[in-house]
Amino acid sequence: MRLVIVPFFVITTCSLYAQDEIDNLVSRLRSGADLQAVLSSVQKNDLHDPRISQALADLFDRTTDQLVRSRLAVLLIQRKDPNPRYFAELEKPLLSILAVDPPDYASEPEEFFGWCASLKIASQDCFDKYVIYPAKPLAAAFVSHDQRFVPLFQRCLAIKMAAVWRQCAGGLALLGDKGSIPAVTRKIATSKDLSTIMILTLFDDPLADQIALDLAKPDKMTLDSVRQQFAWRADQKKLKDAKPR
């Protein structure tokens, strides 16, 4: 057996470099400088240092920007922070749209903005509140696999806003909630957009796959897309199985 000796200075340098990077990120989180880049770095490197988690929580307490708060909530849920306020932050915009069920922006933009005007809400504010913000919980569900999102996403299948119910349907698929397949199928079947059939392929389930094929049969392009998705999924599984364990 060959003994490999790693010089102490190499270990020390690597350790200090990691420490310096974390200290720098914590400092930038506290100052709020170049915030989006810092949050991207935290997410990309999957950093779970307790000091970073505390800095994220402190920033959540300080900021009033809803998009930033949503992103912070996603990162904190990803870190398994048990504080219920982060889930509540992501739940809030979905509950808001569920309470009023506005017209679908994509298919009826004039009706949507007319509805906003009737409530005396500025167009951009209305768009953010009922189209942009409600889509944020999907990111948290994807990275955390938090099952608390399941009943919320199931309720969202009843709304008209396509940008939101599609995200909720996709969230149910990514969370592996096979019991939601019938409800998702019914929603997709009533949609005029054939691309929504692709959501069923995200369940990675034989029943959902067959339903996707049946719904796609009348349109060759959609059917080809479904089959391509199956082929891609099979390739990904082969690559995963080929990796050394």
Side-chain angles (χ1 to χ4, degrees), residues 133-148:
Y133 295 151
K136 290 298 173 183
L138 180 64
F142 180 70
V143 299
S144 69
H145 298 284
D146 193 323
Q147 294 297 312
R148 288 179 297 175

Side-chain angles (χ1 to χ4, degrees), residues 46 59 98 106 108 118 134 150 160 165 179 188 191 203 213 226 244-245:
D46 197 23
L59 182 57
L98 279 166
E108 302 170 313
S118 71
V150 168
K160 295 188 283 287
W165 75 253
I188 289 172
S191 171
F203 280 98
L213 286 171
V226 169
R245 299 182 182 277

Side-chain angles (χ1 to χ4, degrees), residues 124-243:
Q124 187 60 53
D125 291 342
C126 196
F127 180 79
D128 290 343
K129 183 175 183 178
Y130 295 112
V131 182
I132 300 298
Y133 295 151
K136 290 298 173 183
L138 180 64
F142 180 70
V143 299
S144 69
H145 298 284
D146 193 323
Q147 294 297 312
R148 288 179 297 175
F149 287 105
V150 168
L152 189 60
F153 287 168
Q154 288 174 334
R155 289 179 60 196
C156 282
L157 293 177
I159 66 175
K160 295 188 283 287
M161 187 68 69
V164 179
W165 75 253
R166 290 179 191 176
Q167 295 277 24
C168 291
L172 290 167
L174 294 173
L175 287 168
D177 188 59
K178 305 297 177 65
S180 295
I181 291 174
V184 171
T185 299
R186 287 193 295 272
K187 187 69 175 181
I188 289 172
T190 60
S191 171
K192 297 177 182 178
D193 187 350
L194 291 173
S195 68
T196 58
I197 294 172
M198 299 301 294
I199 295 170
L200 288 165
T201 68
L202 299 176
F203 280 98
D204 195 3
D205 175 84
L207 173 61
D209 287 351
Q210 187 57 54
I211 294 171
L213 286 171
D214 292 341
L215 291 174
K217 276 181 183 177
D219 184 80
K220 185 180 183 302
M221 186 177 294
T222 304
L223 184 59
D224 287 345
S225 295
V226 169
R227 286 172 173 161
Q228 288 169 11
Q229 177 67 11
F230 292 163
W232 176 85
R233 204 171 61 193
D235 288 342
Q236 293 302 305
K237 287 180 181 178
K238 287 178 183 177
L239 290 173
K240 184 178 179 181
D241 292 341
K243 288 182 180 179

